[in-house]
Each structure stands twice: as C-alpha cells, then as structure tokens.
Amino acid sequence: MVKRGVLIAGHGSRFSFNKGVMEMQADLLRSKGFPDVYIGFNETSIPLIKDALEEMVEDGFDDIVVLPFFVASGLHVTRDIPMKHLGLERNSTGGEVEVNGKKVTIHLEQPFGEDENMTDILCERVEELKTPGKNTYILVMGHGSRLSFNSDIMTLNASRLRERGYQNVFVGYNEFNEPKIEDIILKMMDEGAEEIIALPLFISLGAHLTRDVPAKLGIQEFTDGGIVHRNGRDVEIKYAVPIGGDPRLCDVLVEKLRKYEW
C-alpha cells in the first residue's frame, strides 16, 4: 500500500520569519486533514529539502507530494529543488527516484502566485491601509528573476487589481527586472500620489524586506511606512506585510493536494 506524505519546500533565510511561516502553513495543513506534513528549505535554513526527503523515506513514505512555497517559479523551482534536492531532471514535475536505496515517487507541484486567492489577499491589504479621499497609488513589489516567471506573476496580480476597480497600480522589482522599486516610487510621487501602498509579493520578512526594500521606498528599516518628501510635497508610504503568513494560502495548498488520493 502506498504511503503518501507532503513536503512543503521553502527558500530559506538567515532570519527566522521564513521558517515560522512554513511551520504555520504546515500546522494549518495538518488541521485540514493532512497529518503527514514535513518542511524543508532550498538553502540557509534547516532542514534542507534533501534532508527532509530522506527523513520522510526513513519514516516509510514512498509517495511524496512536494509543494514549493514560492510566489513564482524561477531557478530555485525549475533547477535547484528538482536537481539538487530531489534527484529529478531540470523543469521536472516529478518521477521515480532512489533515496537511500529505496524507490520513491515524487510529485513536484508549482508555486501559488497565479491563484485568485493571491489577489484577494492584496485587495484586503489595500482596503486596510488606504485613506478615503486621498489620491492613493498601489505598488506591487516583486523580488525579480532572470527568468520570466516572477514578472509574469507580478503583472498578472497588478492586472487583477485594476480589474477589481483599483486605479494607479504599478509594478516594481527589487532586482533583475525593470522597473526598479526606487525608480517607480519616484514616478508615482511625481504623478501626484498622496499616499502609496507598497504590497510585497514575498513569502516572509528577510534581508530584502527589512533592509533593501525600505531603503528603496525611502522609509526606515523594520517599519510599516513613513513620510517621504519629494518636490516640496509629503507623500505617505504604507508598507504592507508579506503574503506568506496568510491562512488563505493554505487553502491553495489544499486544492493542489486534492488531485491525489489520501
């Protein structure tokens, strides 16, 4: 009889936030009827994905669904996780591999950024932060990638925000892609923004969101916003929390798991 388990695969971080978010989502999955949930990381945090996989095999699992807890695909999802950690080919969606002398079937799912729940979360963030009567601009912020996946997801969610009635929605990137966050923030202020809601499409706080992005927004590190002065005007920047800790993302993971027999 097949013994199936779940492995949530995260990026990893020098900060504890990423691991905390992963553990929270794993607990939510267990509460929704999936008791055998493990977590692993691509780098920096422990356990690494390959070590978590070996632990699952030692625990008797021979069919493992891997859920990448990433906003968008990229080199980590298409290359590092399948090849470095799972013993699969690049761009693989799964297959049979050998782990410590045992044959194991792996199913590698895709990140969750295309799901409508992502846009629901962003809309809720905007409604919580916007000031009625003000000329509010929205900045959807991505990490950026040498591949097109990240920019595709940012563009998709910005487009959905516009479809839901929000105006003045822009996209900016921390690195690799254009426009850069620091450039687009100036453009928004020059266009007359009175307040800017900055929405990070990131999993959790880390070096980028606590240091790099605040500097590009013109606000202090480890804050939720501030006032930026530009051309004799004061513009309020409202810095939203990352999306990874939202419980609704667990529902996205559940939908991915429902295609399998449990």
Side-chain angles (χ1 to χ4, degrees):
M1 180 177 178
V2 171
K3 185 177 182 182
R4 178 170 287 143
V6 179
L7 174 55
I8 306 178
H11 184 284
S13 171
R14 295 188 300 274
F15 292 75
S16 62
F17 305 109
N18 188 256
K19 190 168 186 177
V21 164
M22 295 269 290
E23 289 173 339
M24 185 207 80
Q25 295 291 351
D27 285 340
L28 284 172
L29 266 184
R30 295 182 191 109
S31 73
K32 292 178 180 290
F34 299 92
D36 301 312
V37 182
Y38 295 66
I39 64 172
F41 300 91
N42 182 57
E43 59 189 24
T44 311
S45 302
I46 55 174
L48 292 175
I49 295 165
K50 62 185 178 69
D51 296 329
L53 177 63
E54 289 180 0
E55 181 183 358
M56 294 183 75
V57 172
E58 288 177 6
D59 289 345
F61 293 94
D62 51 17
D63 193 281
I64 297 169
V65 182
V66 180
L67 300 173
F69 202 68
F70 288 72
V71 173
S73 192
L75 288 175
H76 291 318
V77 176
T78 61
R79 181 192 65 190
D80 300 342
I81 291 176
M83 297 179 69
K84 177 181 174 182
H85 293 285
L86 302 177
L88 297 168
E89 298 292 327
R90 184 169 180 160
N91 297 316
S92 176
T93 58
E96 187 177 76
V97 300
E98 185 172 309
V99 180
N100 293 340
K102 182 179 178 180
K103 294 291 185 181
V104 179
T105 300
I106 294 177
H107 312 273
L108 180 57
E109 288 291 324
Q110 292 301 304
F112 50 75
E114 294 184 1
D115 195 276
E116 287 279 357
N117 274 333
M118 275 281 290
T119 314
D120 294 340
I121 293 168
L122 297 181
C123 288
E124 185 176 286
R125 298 278 196 272
V126 172
E127 290 303 311
E128 289 172 349
L129 294 173
K130 72 183 180 70
T131 304
K134 275 197 172 183
N135 188 16
T136 302
Y137 278 54
I138 299 169
L139 175 57
V140 179
M141 301 184 298
H143 181 283
S145 172
R146 296 182 183 89
L147 303 182
S148 64
F149 301 107
N150 189 258
S151 59
D152 290 345
I153 294 299
M154 299 306 118
T155 301
L156 173 64
N157 280 281
S159 175
R160 286 176 176 170
L161 283 171
R162 296 185 194 103
E163 289 171 0
R164 297 191 187 193
Y166 296 105
Q167 299 178 351
N168 301 319
V169 181
F170 292 77
V171 172
Y173 299 93
N174 184 57
E175 55 187 354
F176 300 121
N177 298 112
E178 299 288 342
K180 296 290 190 292
I181 291 170
E182 59 268 36
D183 296 329
I184 204 68
I185 203 80
L186 296 178
K187 172 180 171 63
M188 296 166 84
M189 290 190 287
D190 289 345
E191 285 193 4
E194 296 177 312
E195 69 176 9
I196 297 172
I197 298 174
L199 301 172
L201 266 66
F202 286 67
I203 295 298
S204 63
L205 291 174
H208 290 316
L209 291 190
T210 57
R211 292 199 293 259
D212 302 343
V213 173
K216 294 171 181 180
L217 294 173
I219 61 176
Q220 294 294 314
E221 296 179 1
F222 293 95
T223 65
D224 59 2
I227 302 297
V228 177
H229 308 285
R230 174 80 171 168
N231 298 331
R233 297 174 54 246
D234 291 342
V235 180
E236 185 172 9
I237 308 294
K238 295 182 176 180
Y239 190 27
V241 298
I243 50 88
D246 195 290
R248 281 170 292 190
L249 290 181
C250 185
D251 295 330
V252 178
L253 301 183
V254 169
E255 285 302 313
K256 291 179 180 295
L257 294 174
R258 279 184 176 158
K259 69 178 73 170
Y260 306 96
E261 294 183 6
W262 297 91

